[in-house]
Amino acid sequence: MPKKLSGGGLSPTQQAAKFLGVSVLAGAVMAGIALPAAGALGLAAKGSVQGFDEIPDNLKSPALSQRTTILDNQGGQIATVYSRDRTVVDLKKISPYMQKAIVAIEDSRFYQHGAVDLKGILRAVNQNAQNGGVAQGASTLTQQLVKNYFVEEAGDDPTKVAQATQQTLGRKIRELKYAIQLEEKLGKKKILENYLNITFFGEQAYGVEAAAQRYFSKPAKDLNLQQSALLAGIVQSPSRYDPVNDEAEAIKRRNTVLQRMAEVHDISPQEADEAQNAKLDLKVSQPKNGCITAVKGASFFCRYVENVFLTDPVFGKTKEDRAKVWNQGGLTIRTTLDPQSQKSVQDSIKSHVNKSDSVATAATLVEPGTGKIVGMGQSRPYGYGKNETEYNYSVDRDMGGSNFGFPTGSTFKPFVAAAALEQGLPATQEYSAPYKMSYPSPVQTCGKPWTNQQGETLSNESESEKGPYPLKTAMAKSVNTYFVQMISDIGICPVVKLTDKLHVVQGNGDKLPEVPAITLGSKGIAPLTMASAYATFASRGMYCTPIAIESISQQVDGKQKSLEVPKSTCTRAMSEKTADTVNTLLSGVIDSGTGQQAGLTDRDNAGKTGTTDERRNAWFVGYTPNLAGAVWVGSPKQNVKMTNINIGGVYHSLVYGGEVPGPIWKDAMTGALAGKDSPSFNLIDIPDPVRDHDDDGGPDDGGPDDGGPGGGDDGGNTISGNNGSNGNGGGKPNPTFSIPQGFIQGQNGTGGRHH
């Protein structure tokens, strides 16, 4: 079988004729002669080549894709992300050696010819004919720049890239015409600058600045002679002449460039000899692309920032518009992340939960009154290996989080209390709160009343936990039956209307269902959502949407321009009096209730614990007047019952909301607030009841949440019905209250127990 010739199997004569046809066309173009789409030269095939005059005149230089830098609120770098690693620089910031090297090896007559080098074409025709193939090209730097423009516009679309690089006469004709335009419009120096910024140098480096940093860890302006020659040689074939993978081939190519520089008198023969004998002396810096490389454990926050950019209409009307801006890059994004807070979050997580534990934790800190996210972390690092994950447990599904969030347990109860206070119930409100009761029926909703058709019941944690109780005691002890009676009293509608104002939705974006069991936290919610909602109490009733971006600037054509960014929207969700009352109630949770182990000793603070059915989830959500935070601990798949379990090397017979998440919150908040102001809550006086209802031996009942057996937030089931036993004493709830199946990575759960 005959050997196939390069260039599509054309004979040497045909190769010569093809190049000659291009040269004749080029000569005609330069003479200003318009050629028809088909003619004696056979320049058209089946109508694929436009007439020269029909090609649009307005070639636009594409905005070159560059790296994006993400910063914290102090200007420290978190990560760089890019579709193409490129930093555009002026010609004056590129070594003169580099400028001479690329011209010498790619287009030595660059400064003598116009857009098309007829001598070069004829030389190539002759050389190729002698070699029996295509051994030498004839494109000028200007033509190569045009070709690179087409490739840049094609982006990562393989079909468009193929079209931009196809070896057809039609593309060559377009390339010629646009090259003439660029010569007239830009001039030689700007063409050279653009070429050095756009061309690919291998190893993910686009443009000479990125290449200089990749291979030599220095800026392009500091490249010496032999380094410049090496980079110039790579351009012809980045894979073949890659010095990282084939040093010998790279040296051979470098020396060819040096010899050519001597031949065109850019350097002396002696300089060429000395440089040819020099070692490569590479100092390779590894590409650091993407949020996976983020510092201070901020990978998930980094991805959250990216998701904000790709989903918020402020950055473009459509998904495609936003993706185009993001991929173009050149952005400097200053975020709300506070390095002190972020470090504190990560340090606390690492000291309490190991990444290899059977359960994970996630913590998020938010600034009340501004919505700024200042800290976000979790125990399982960002990645794709063992004990790693790409899911951000702190956020909703549409922002890269779990499918449904995580059941919140009794951390939901303050929302019910706030709704009741808004309806006019007094802060001293008492309910009988028996140890066990049936769900009240009917209960008013925003529509059709809910009825207990299955005869479902619920209970408190221990038989000694029975009322009557006033609100302050019920909140401190986290008494289930009290809050179900409260929601029955005021109806479900005021509760969901308040949670709508607090933007509390399930992790999949769905609204909360209008059923009495929501007061027990049976539905999955993301930690960021909970932290932002609790921040409303801290800011005396003003809810602020969470934000992660403070400012963005973008480099375009060597200039910086500012982009509009999403702003936090603050609206009043409840009265100041209601918020102050809730702050007073939740201060009691930390002072003498289920959250004592989480309490801060040097400033006003408040919070609420929560655990869920069979201890599959444990929470602590708390705040000071100037910082709010939520901590969740559990299995992302909801398949681990946190009993007789080791977490962070510490054994727990039973996990409580105040025992594991609480100390994580405490340590994270302590470090984040170190050196910060210590404002006070506007607490109100809530009179104690006339009679003492502490029937079970003290307000803590043996220390709920600190390992004691007493009432409050210490796990177990609290809902029972007719569906058989489930855990330590109750039946499985009716599906009306069940947690959605299929949590993140296959997680699933059951409804239910919620302190």
Side-chain angles (χ1 to χ4, degrees):
M1 182 176 179
K3 183 178 180 180
K4 185 176 180 180
L5 299 173
S6 61
L10 299 180
S11 69
T13 303
Q14 289 172 318
Q15 288 286 339
K18 180 176 179 180
F19 271 88
L20 184 59
V22 173
S23 70
V24 173
L25 172 65
V29 167
M30 297 183 74
I33 300 174
L35 296 180
L41 292 175
L43 299 180
K46 297 182 180 180
S48 63
V49 181
Q50 291 176 287
F52 190 80
D53 280 350
E54 297 174 14
I55 299 174
D57 290 326
N58 57 337
L59 172 66
K60 294 182 179 179
S61 302
L64 300 184
S65 58
Q66 302 181 68
R67 68 171 62 184
T68 285
T69 303
I70 300 177
L71 309 174
D72 60 35
N73 67 0
Q74 300 298 310
Q77 182 173 301
I78 296 173
T80 57
V81 297
Y82 49 81
S83 57
R84 292 184 177 174
D85 186 10
R86 176 189 284 119
T87 301
V88 175
V89 293
D90 295 334
L91 192 63
K92 63 184 179 182
K93 293 185 178 180
I94 300 173
S95 166
Y97 286 125
M98 186 68 222
Q99 298 178 41
K100 292 176 181 179
I102 200 71
V103 169
I105 196 63
E106 290 294 322
D107 186 2
S108 62
R109 286 174 33 81
F110 176 64
Y111 292 106
Q112 283 76 51
H113 61 66
V116 181
D117 184 9
L118 289 179
K119 287 185 179 180
I121 290 175
L122 293 173
R123 184 182 65 248
V125 168
N126 180 58
Q127 186 68 35
N128 293 332
Q130 291 180 17
N131 293 335
V134 181
Q136 193 174 114
S139 292
T140 65
L141 276 182
T142 311
Q143 289 172 272
Q144 292 182 49
L145 177 59
V146 172
K147 179 181 177 180
N148 275 303
Y149 280 177
F150 296 154
V151 172
E152 186 73 18
E153 285 287 356
D156 297 324
D157 187 321
T159 302
K160 291 182 179 179
V161 171
Q163 292 172 349
T165 57
Q166 60 185 341
Q167 295 299 316
T168 64
L169 202 51
R171 184 188 64 78
K172 200 71 175 179
I173 291 172
R174 292 177 66 224
E175 187 179 285
L176 289 171
K177 180 166 185 177
Y178 288 143
I180 295 170
Q181 289 181 24
L182 289 185
E183 288 274 347
E184 294 175 349
K185 180 180 179 182
L186 300 180
K188 293 294 186 180
K189 287 187 176 181
K190 191 64 177 177
I191 288 171
L192 180 59
E193 176 186 297
N194 288 1
Y195 179 82
L196 285 168
N197 277 308
I198 198 173
T199 199
F200 180 53
F201 288 88
E203 291 289 328
Q204 301 183 36
Y206 289 82
V208 67
E209 179 68 17
Q213 295 289 354
R214 181 74 74 252
Y215 295 108
F216 302 110
S217 299
K218 62 168 56 175
K221 67 181 179 63
D222 294 337
L223 292 169
N224 62 27
L225 173 57
Q226 57 265 29
Q227 291 168 343
S228 298
L230 177 77
L231 295 186
I234 290 174
V235 170
Q236 186 184 81
S237 179
S239 58
R240 178 180 177 183
Y241 301 125
D242 182 354
V244 175
N245 296 309
D246 195 333
E247 182 174 324
E249 194 71 17
I251 290 176
K252 182 179 178 181
R253 176 63 176 169
R254 179 199 69 179
N255 292 347
T256 298
V257 175
L258 290 166
Q259 183 62 37
R260 184 58 180 162
M261 292 179 74
E263 290 172 358
V264 298
H265 308 296
D266 283 333
I267 59 175
S268 68
Q270 182 180 359
E271 287 177 305
D273 288 342
E274 291 177 356
Q276 285 176 335
N277 291 323
K279 296 181 179 179
L280 281 186
D281 197 25
L282 297 179
K283 190 178 180 181
V284 178
S285 62
Q286 295 301 318
K288 291 186 177 181
N289 180 24
C291 291
I292 196 170
T293 66
V295 299
K296 300 174 184 175
S299 294
F300 294 103
F301 177 80
C302 175
R303 284 302 305 273
Y304 181 79
V305 169
E306 180 179 346
N307 284 325
V308 168
F309 195 101
L310 295 174
T311 57
D312 198 301
V314 74
F315 298 114
K317 292 183 179 179
T318 67
K319 178 180 179 181
E320 291 74 21
D321 291 340
R322 296 187 290 271
K324 184 176 181 180
V325 177
W326 181 263
N327 290 329
Q328 179 182 325
L331 306 168
T332 299
I333 303 176
R334 196 178 185 102
T335 71
T336 60
L337 194 75
D338 173 52
Q340 176 180 331
S341 298
Q342 180 64 19
K343 181 179 185 302
S344 184
V345 166
Q346 285 302 121
D347 288 348
S348 179
I349 288 172
K350 288 181 179 179
S351 67
H352 291 284
V353 182
N354 298 327
K355 68 177 184 179
S356 59
D357 287 343
S358 60
V359 295
T361 187
T364 298
L365 303 183
V366 174
E367 187 176 89
T370 68
K372 293 179 180 179
I373 304 169
V374 298
M376 179 183 287
Q378 60 191 54
S379 57
R380 293 183 183 171
Y382 186 90
Y384 307 96
K386 185 178 181 180
N387 300 318
E388 296 177 339
T389 181
E390 62 181 312
Y391 292 97
N392 183 349
Y393 302 144
S394 287
V395 302
D396 289 343
R397 179 176 64 186
D398 64 351
M399 299 301 285
S402 69
N403 286 342
F404 297 100
F406 303 104
T408 59
S410 291
T411 58
F412 195 91
K413 288 173 180 173
F415 304 144
V416 178
L421 293 168
E422 287 285 279
Q423 293 299 301
L425 264 68
T428 55
Q429 178 69 39
E430 278 193 6
Y431 290 109
S432 61
Y435 161 65
K436 187 174 183 179
M437 60 178 283
S438 297
Y439 271 100
S441 181
V443 178
Q444 187 60 49
T445 70
C446 296
K448 182 180 179 181
W450 177 87
T451 57
N452 187 0
Q453 297 179 353
Q454 302 297 319
E456 291 155 0
T457 64
L458 74 153
S459 65
N460 297 325
E461 179 55 35
S462 68
E463 293 187 16
S464 64
E465 191 176 277
K466 55 188 177 182
Y469 288 123
L471 176 55
K472 186 164 70 171
T473 306
M475 185 69 78
K477 289 179 173 291
S478 198
V479 179
N480 292 331
T481 56
Y482 179 96
F483 287 95
V484 168
Q485 287 181 313
M486 175 175 275
I487 207 170
S488 173
D489 193 359
I490 64 172
I492 302 171
C493 195
V495 177
V496 296
K497 284 186 175 181
L498 177 65
T499 53
D500 284 348
K501 293 179 181 179
L502 297 174
H503 295 229
V504 174
V505 296
Q506 297 180 70
N508 62 359
D510 289 351
K511 293 185 64 173
L512 297 171
E514 294 187 45
V515 295
I518 63 170
T519 191
L520 305 181
S522 60
K523 295 302 177 184
I525 300 172
L528 174 58
T529 301
M530 293 298 290
S532 299
Y534 269 57
T536 308
F537 300 135
S539 59
R540 304 191 71 195
M542 294 297 293
Y543 172 82
C544 297
T545 55
I547 57 169
I549 299 173
E550 290 192 341
S551 66
I552 298 180
S553 63
Q554 184 176 30
Q555 182 176 340
V556 180
D557 295 330
K559 299 179 180 179
Q560 293 286 336
K561 70 171 185 178
S562 296
L563 301 185
E564 185 181 355
V565 299
K567 304 294 184 184
S568 180
T569 302
C570 297
T571 55
R572 180 154 295 283
M574 66 189 72
S575 69
E576 288 187 354
K577 181 180 179 182
T578 293
D580 291 344
T581 304
V582 173
N583 295 338
T584 305
L585 293 169
L586 297 187
S587 294
V589 172
I590 285 178
D591 289 340
S592 59
T594 60
Q596 292 178 71
Q597 287 182 275
L600 307 177
T601 58
D602 61 341
R603 60 185 65 233
D604 280 8
N605 60 118
K608 185 71 184 74
T609 56
T611 56
T612 66
D613 241 1
E614 300 175 307
R615 287 184 166 78
R616 295 178 189 268
N617 302 275
W619 287 75
F620 189 87
V621 188
Y623 54 95
T624 68
N626 53 349
L627 189 62
V631 176
W632 161 83
V633 175
S635 165
K637 295 182 180 180
Q638 295 289 278
N639 60 357
V640 176
K641 302 174 184 179
M642 291 185 288
T643 59
N644 299 316
I645 188 173
N646 282 292
I647 302 176
V650 178
Y651 174 77
H652 301 273
S653 58
L654 298 171
V655 168
Y656 305 94
E659 182 188 55
V660 180
I664 297 173
W665 179 89
K666 179 178 182 178
D667 290 350
M669 294 284 286
T670 298
L673 291 168
K676 305 288 179 65
D677 292 339
S678 179
S680 300
F681 289 129
N682 293 278
L683 300 180
I684 66 169
D685 179 45
I686 302 177
D688 290 325
V690 175
R691 65 181 184 278
D692 182 7
H693 291 299
D694 185 18
D695 299 326
D696 44 39
D700 298 335
D701 193 24
D705 269 356
D706 61 3
D713 211 0
D714 57 354
N717 290 309
T718 58
I719 301 179
S720 61
N722 302 322
N723 295 320
S725 98
N726 180 27
N728 295 329
K732 187 175 181 180
N734 182 275
T736 304
F737 310 125
S738 66
I739 298 169
Q741 300 296 308
F743 275 69
I744 177 173
Q745 303 171 351
Q747 69 185 358
N748 58 67
T750 59
R753 133 84 204 157
H754 312 289
H755 275 304

